[in-house]
């Protein structure tokens, strides 16, 4: 009654292709952030009124090196720690993670709370490859 298929049925192949397309679209929407380049950020850090900088990676990642002056709040904790964000006393916030996905999630949370958010272009990978200092 059942026969063994030598190749995946067309329905399965179509479902896999649709999943890949949808996840690709979602990733592109997450990447539609307003960006600040590493060079622009380092220039702002060196002024008298730098923006608040949030490193939304894990504490262990943060401890291995972060953008100077960055505060570490893991992206999953942002909504529960908005009082700490408010204490930074900045309406403009720069967020970053290692490669961008976690920063995009944090950005959505912060924007919903009324903050203007910029994402560090290239995130920590880009910062390091630019040869900029870390703490």
């Amino acid at each position: 009654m059942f026969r063994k298929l030598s190749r995946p049925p067309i329905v399965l192949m179509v479902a896999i292709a649709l999943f890949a397309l949808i996840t690709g679209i979602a990733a592109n929407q997450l990447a539609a952030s307003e960006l600040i380049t590493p060079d622009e950020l380092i220039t702002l850090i060196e002024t008298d009124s730098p923006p608040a900088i949030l490193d939304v990676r894990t504490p262990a990642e943060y401890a291995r090196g972060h953008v100077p002056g960055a505060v570490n709040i893991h992206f999953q904790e942002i909504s529960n720690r908005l009082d700490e964000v408010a204490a930074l006393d900045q309406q403009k916030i720069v967020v970053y993670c290692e490669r961008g996905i976690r920063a995009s999630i944090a950005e959505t949370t912060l924007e919903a709370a009324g903050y203007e958010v910029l994402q560090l272009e290239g995130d920590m990978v880009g910062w390091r490859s630019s040869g900029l200092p870390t703490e």
Side-chain angles (χ1 to χ4, degrees):
M1 181 170 186
F2 293 101
R3 65 177 192 194
K4 185 176 181 178
L5 299 174
S6 60
R7 57 186 174 152
I10 190 75
V11 174
L12 179 60
M13 291 171 41
V14 169
I16 291 170
L18 282 173
F19 177 77
L21 177 65
I22 290 169
T23 56
I25 289 170
N28 285 339
Q29 287 175 338
L30 285 174
S33 305
E34 188 173 344
L35 300 174
I36 183 169
T37 67
D39 288 334
E40 291 169 332
L41 182 56
I42 199 72
T43 299
L44 288 175
I45 289 170
E46 294 170 349
T47 68
D48 290 334
S49 55
I53 305 169
L54 286 182
D55 181 321
V56 298
R57 300 175 302 158
T58 65
E61 289 173 300
Y62 177 83
R64 286 192 296 268
H66 54 273
V67 172
V71 174
N72 182 227
I73 301 178
H74 190 265
F75 81 103
Q76 291 177 325
E77 299 174 356
I78 294 280
S79 59
N80 295 327
R81 296 175 62 184
L82 287 172
D83 56 328
E84 292 175 55
V85 175
L88 298 172
D89 201 28
Q90 295 285 341
Q91 206 51 30
K92 186 179 279 190
I93 299 172
V94 175
V95 297
Y96 71 91
C97 61
E98 190 65 26
R99 299 192 182 274
I101 298 294
R102 295 175 285 180
S104 294
I105 295 167
E107 179 181 1
T108 301
T109 303
L110 291 164
E111 286 176 341
Y115 292 96
E116 180 183 346
V117 182
L118 302 171
Q119 186 169 341
L120 179 59
E121 184 177 65
D123 293 276
M124 197 62 196
V125 169
W127 185 269
R128 278 191 220 99
S129 68
S130 294
L132 295 167
T134 60
E135 290 182 336

